[in-house]
């Protein structure tokens, strides 16, 4: 967030003790240390007040008594202030606090002025209490993100030559076999080679239903193996595995500062110098004017004005803003991650809250992306063979030809005819014709004559010289020709996800006026899906580059101030995901390229999560706004009072710390997600 790893240059408000961030274990330690310091200081401060009341000490001796608690609680702040000045970045809030408190300690030495020692210590004490709150809240939101980190496996059981060794996950190579026992986390992505089990994917997707996994199924790292012992052949190295990608995403979310947050940083750069100069003016100008006009002694009114100026400094410190806004974003990101929504940076929160158009890719986003055979229509002159046998024969041939195809349609045909492997057919000379289909030779048995079977679209039929027939069914039509004769077609369709209609309805309820589907699929398939889901428009038969063009056009047309989100899951969606104002990827089935290119990742492929993400973002932004206005409002009120000498140092401090604490508590609401 606003502060990560600024060991060298201080962010204008790098509001931190460095030990907070780098190590988890330190976090509790440093909070405990701060608490102890605060408690000891409070006791010493009371003791000092008692000493002052009961012993007649000179101002110098008093100063020494109060310096003990002051330095105890303030040494961190003073050090940060000094570092800031040394790095040429003098105007941070540590600097403001130091100037104000040192001034309060010194003011008692002016002729005729009251001493302000307890106030100085108290200011520092309260400042640290504010810091403590921030540390706690940040630790909380870090924990919420750390629950994602619970998915980080510590060891892998590597199986080689029948032995198993415990190794660090990053030492496992692709293709090695690892063993995962019940109760252990899956350390790397891979495919089950032996055994079956159920996996708990809660930490990754937020869904509580365990997933079944058996031999041949893919498993993703970060799941917890629940029931059986499985052996997994790894398909990715640890650095490439789902877990480490997610962890990187979340840890780097801070790189992308939100506009509201960048506003805070800019604000402080301009704000602090103005405040410091205003305070100097407030200290010197009124007494000088009085001395000039009313012949009063400069030295008599100076302490009063100096005191007012110092208070002005204390009040003007923008802690509440500096702390609470980044925290709100951090909390929002943490809360969303609990729901299985990964937002890669605070700036995407801004964009998410303003979405007016959602563009969907169809396959795998609104539909399952798994094709299934819906119908088989044969076209044969020979009436002696029953339709049933013909249909079977047609599927059988198609499944053989598609045996090596990587296309989802090939998978659907193979699923529809599972016993192809055992029926003794011989397939040879398989050639895939891009954009048309597959041609292959199929022999029944060794002595049978080879038949040339073409499986594909109408272009392939035309090329083979077969007279194809159109089909009334909606879906992807796969035509089959045998030796140039048309044999019939198979209708394949992609099932719409149950929650897709719901997701579109929820978006409309949130006031997203355009829901648009872009797909490479055919016109009538697209029309069918668009009608069922009540989308505002759709475009079909697009190539990946067309999708980018469409998205750019929509972004042009889009009314200013409204953002466009693109939701997709495939490799071909990566360019569009990167181009849209906010790219949302389906993380469960999505390709790595899509997940890399996206700004928001939905861990479990439920399109309803889009509306949820927009809701969380809107709430987070609203909380950040409340904090900004509340903090600025209170500040201005006390500043005005201080300039007129009505407010006291106590009020000033309370205003500052009180506002900070309230703002931090408000920010914590964002965590609930």
């Amino acid at each position: 967030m606003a502060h990560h790893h600024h060991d060298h240059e201080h962010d204008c408000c790098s509001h931190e003790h460095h030990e907070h961030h780098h190590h988890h274990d330190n976090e509790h330690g440093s909070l405990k240390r701060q608490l102890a310091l605060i408690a000891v200081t409070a006791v010493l401060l009371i003791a000092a007040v008692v000493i002052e009341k009961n012993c007649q000490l000179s101002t110098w001796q008093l100063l020494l008594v109060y310096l003990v608690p002051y330095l105890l609680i303030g040494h961190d702040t003073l050090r940060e202030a000094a570092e800031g000045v040394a790095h040429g970045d003098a105007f941070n809030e540590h600097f403001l606090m130091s100037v104000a408190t040192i001034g309060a300690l010194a003011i008692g030495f002016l002729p005729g002025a009251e001493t302000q020692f307890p106030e100085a210590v108290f200011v520092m004490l309260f400042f640290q209490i504010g810091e403590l709150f921030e540390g706690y809240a940040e630790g909380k939101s870090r924990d919420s993100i750390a629950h994602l980190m619970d998915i980080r496996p510590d060891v892998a059981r590597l199986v080689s030559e029948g032995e198993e060794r415990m190794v660090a996950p990053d030492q496992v190579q692709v293709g090695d076999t690892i063993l995962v026992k019940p109760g252990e986390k899956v350390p790397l992505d891979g495919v089950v080679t032996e055994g079956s089990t159920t996996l708990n994917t809660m930490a990754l997707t937020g869904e509580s239903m365990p997933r079944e996994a058996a031999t041949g199924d893919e498993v993703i790292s970060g799941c917890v193996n629940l029931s059986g012992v499985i052996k997994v052949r790894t398909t990715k190295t640890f650095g490439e595995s789902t877990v480490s990608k997610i962890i990187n995403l979340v840890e780097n979310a801070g790189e992308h500062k939100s506009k509201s947050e960048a506003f805070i940083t800019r604000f402080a750069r301009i704000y602090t110098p103005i405040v410091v100069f205003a305070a100097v003016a407030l200290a010197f100008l009124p007494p000088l004017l009085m001395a000039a006009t009313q012949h009063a002694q400069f030295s008599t009114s100076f302490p009063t004005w100096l005191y007012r100026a110092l208070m002005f400094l204390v009040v003007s410190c923008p802690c509440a803003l500096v702390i609470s806004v980044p925290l709100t974003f951090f909390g929002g990101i943490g809360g969303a991650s609990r729901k299985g929504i990964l937002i890669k940076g605070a700036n995407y929160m801004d964009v998410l809250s303003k979405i007016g158009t959602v563009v969907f890719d169809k396959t795998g986003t609104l539909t399952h992306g798994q094709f299934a055979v819906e119908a088989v229509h044969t076209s044969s002159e020979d009436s002696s063979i029953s339709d049933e046998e013909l249909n079977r024969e047609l599927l059988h041939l198609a499944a053989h030809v598609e045996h090596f195809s990587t296309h989802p349609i090939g998978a659907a045909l193979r699923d529809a005819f599972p016993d192809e492997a055992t029926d003794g057919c011989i397939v040879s000379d398989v050639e895939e014709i891009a954009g048309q289909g597959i041609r292959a030779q199929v022999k029944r048995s060794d002595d049978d004559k080879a038949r040339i079977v073409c499986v594909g679209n109408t272009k392939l039929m035309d090329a083979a010289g077969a007279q194809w027939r159109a089909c009334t069914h909606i879906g992807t039509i796969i035509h089959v020709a045998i030796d140039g004769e048309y044999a019939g077609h198979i209708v394949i369709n992609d099932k719409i996800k149950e929650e897709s209609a719901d997701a579109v309805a929820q978006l409309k309820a949130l006031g997203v006026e355009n829901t648009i589907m872009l797909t490479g699929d055919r016109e009538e398939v697209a029309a069918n899906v668009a009608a069922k889901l009540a989308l505002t428009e759709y475009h079909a038969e697009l190539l990946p580059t067309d999708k980018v063009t469409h998205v750019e056009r929509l972004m042009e047309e889009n009314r200013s101030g409204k953002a466009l989100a693109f939701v997709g899951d495939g490799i071909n969606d990566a360019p569009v995901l990167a181009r849209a104002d906010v790219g949302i990827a389906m993380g469960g089935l999505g390709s790595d390229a899509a997940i890399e290119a996206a700004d928001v990742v939905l861990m479990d492929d439920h399109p309803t999560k889009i509306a949820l993400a927009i809701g969380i973002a809107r709430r987070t932004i609203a909380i950040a706004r409340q904090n900004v206005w509340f903090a600025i409002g209170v500040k201005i009120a006390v500043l005005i009072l201080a300039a007129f000498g009505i407010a006291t140092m106590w009020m000033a401090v309370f205003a500052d710390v009180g506002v900070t604490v309230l703002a931090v508590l408000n920010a914590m609401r964002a965590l609930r997600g």
Side-chain angles (χ1 to χ4, degrees), residues 360-637:
F360 297 94
D361 168 56
K362 177 178 78 76
T363 312
T365 306
L366 293 171
T367 61
H368 280 290
Q370 274 143 354
F371 292 92
V373 170
E374 251 183 31
V376 181
H377 301 151
T378 45
S379 151
S380 170
E381 314 308 308
D382 191 346
S383 54
S384 63
I385 316 175
S386 73
D387 278 354
E388 198 124 320
E389 268 179 84
L390 270 174
N391 288 0
R392 205 181 140 64
E393 172 73 358
L394 193 62
L395 263 182
H396 153 175
L397 283 171
H400 269 303
V401 173
E402 293 278 349
H403 182 76
F404 302 104
S405 162
T406 51
H407 199 279
I409 289 175
L413 290 169
R414 292 198 296 276
D415 292 345
F417 194 84
D419 42 2
E420 47 146 330
T422 53
D423 63 4
C425 278
I426 298 155
V427 182
S428 58
D429 300 336
V430 180
E431 57 173 317
E432 199 155 339
I433 301 153
Q436 295 188 6
I438 295 182
R439 184 162 56 214
Q441 294 202 7
V442 183
K443 291 207 262 191
R444 267 298 160 78
S445 57
D446 279 337
D447 45 7
D448 193 32
K449 74 174 185 35
R451 291 182 293 172
I452 295 176
V453 179
C454 297
V455 180
N457 59 17
T458 53
K459 288 195 192 126
L460 187 64
M461 295 298 107
D462 292 339
Q467 286 299 307
W468 52 275
R469 283 215 323 269
C471 182
T472 51
H473 279 249
I474 285 181
T476 302
I477 316 288
I478 307 293
H479 296 277
V480 182
I482 302 171
D483 286 334
E485 282 296 311
Y486 187 58
H489 51 245
I490 299 165
V491 182
I492 288 183
N493 223 338
D494 185 2
K495 297 201 257 320
I496 296 178
K497 291 184 185 172
E498 295 71 44
E499 61 270 1
S500 290
D502 214 15
V504 174
Q506 287 179 17
L507 287 171
K508 295 214 163 119
L510 279 175
V512 173
E513 54 261 355
N514 307 320
T515 46
I516 299 163
M517 179 175 75
L518 302 179
T519 178
D521 213 332
R522 293 194 348 283
E523 178 66 32
E524 53 270 37
V525 179
N528 183 26
V529 174
K532 279 189 183 152
L533 301 180
L535 298 168
T536 43
E537 60 178 279
Y538 69 91
H539 302 279
E541 304 185 24
L542 304 173
L543 297 169
T545 48
D546 302 337
K547 289 187 185 174
V548 177
T549 326
H550 269 287
V551 164
E552 286 180 339
R553 175 182 63 80
L554 289 162
M555 283 165 77
E556 296 273 299
E557 289 172 12
N558 220 344
R559 287 207 313 282
S560 56
K562 288 286 177 128
L564 177 138
F566 178 82
V567 191
D569 76 323
I571 293 187
N572 58 359
D573 297 328
V576 210
L577 285 165
R579 183 68 190 82
D581 293 321
V582 60
I584 303 177
M586 295 289 170
L589 294 169
S591 73
D592 294 349
I595 293 171
E596 292 281 307
D599 310 314
V600 177
V601 182
L602 308 180
M603 288 313 298
D604 55 0
D605 297 339
H606 288 323
T608 45
K609 290 273 169 87
I610 302 164
L612 186 61
I614 293 176
I616 291 176
R618 285 186 184 172
R619 236 188 73 216
T620 306
I621 299 285
I623 293 174
R625 289 223 172 96
Q626 291 160 12
N627 281 346
V628 170
W629 290 119
F630 174 62
I632 291 177
V634 174
K635 286 265 174 268
I636 291 172

Side-chain angles (χ1 to χ4, degrees), residues 2 8 21 37 48 77 168 205 228 232 259 274 299 372 375 418 432 470 551:
H8 310 301
H21 295 312
L37 269 181
T77 306
T205 63
V232 176
K259 293 197 179 71
I274 291 177
S299 57
E432 199 155 339
V551 164

Side-chain angles (χ1 to χ4, degrees), residues 5 43 89 138 179 202 304 382 411 508 512 526 618:
H5 315 298
V43 172
D89 172 28
E138 192 162 300
L179 188 78
M202 183 76 193
T304 328
D382 191 346
K508 295 214 163 119
V512 173
R618 285 186 184 172

Side-chain angles (χ1 to χ4, degrees), residues 81-284:
E83 275 180 19
V85 173
H87 289 298
D89 172 28
F91 297 117
N92 57 28
E93 76 265 36
H94 299 283
F95 178 72
L96 283 181
M97 293 319 271
S98 306
V99 172
T101 51
I102 291 169
L105 288 174
I107 201 168
F109 293 100
L110 288 168
E114 301 274 304
T115 56
Q116 301 287 346
F117 298 140
E119 280 85 340
V121 180
F122 197 74
V123 169
M124 273 301 184
L125 186 61
F126 248 24
F127 184 58
Q128 287 298 331
I129 292 174
E131 294 262 89
L132 179 78
F133 254 91
E134 181 211 2
Y136 173 72
E138 192 162 300
K140 262 284 200 255
S141 42
R142 235 157 239 286
D143 289 345
S144 141
I145 285 178
H147 94 277
L148 268 178
M149 302 315 149
D150 286 346
I151 59 187
R152 178 179 277 160
D154 310 313
V155 290
R157 296 170 187 272
L158 183 63
V159 181
S160 52
E161 291 103 48
E163 305 257 303
E164 62 172 89
R165 309 202 307 280
M166 302 292 246
V167 299
D170 51 16
Q171 291 177 341
V172 181
Q173 308 289 313
V174 172
D176 285 353
T177 301
I178 51 174
L179 188 78
V180 188
K181 295 191 170 168
E184 296 183 337
K185 290 187 201 96
V186 178
L188 301 104
D189 296 7
V191 177
V192 180
T193 52
E194 201 178 303
S196 65
T197 185
T198 47
L199 299 171
N200 170 2
T201 60
M202 183 76 193
L204 290 173
T205 63
E207 76 181 288
S208 46
M209 273 293 292
R211 286 186 189 175
E212 303 289 320
T215 310
D217 288 344
E218 287 191 11
V219 288
I220 48 177
S221 50
C223 300
V224 178
N225 183 11
L226 297 175
S227 47
V229 175
I230 49 170
K231 280 192 180 167
V232 176
R233 188 183 73 250
T234 57
T235 50
K236 292 185 187 155
T237 57
F238 183 63
E240 285 295 304
S241 281
T242 311
V243 167
S244 49
K245 287 203 165 144
I246 290 173
I247 291 169
N248 283 342
L249 287 188
V250 177
E251 288 184 340
N252 299 330
E255 308 284 298
H256 304 287
K257 291 242 175 84
S258 148
K259 293 197 179 71
S260 319
E261 210 181 313
F263 153 76
I264 296 294
T265 316
R266 289 200 307 271
F267 173 80
R269 287 243 152 80
I270 302 162
Y271 176 83
T272 319
I274 291 177
V275 168
V276 174
F277 294 126
V280 171
L282 193 61
F284 287 96

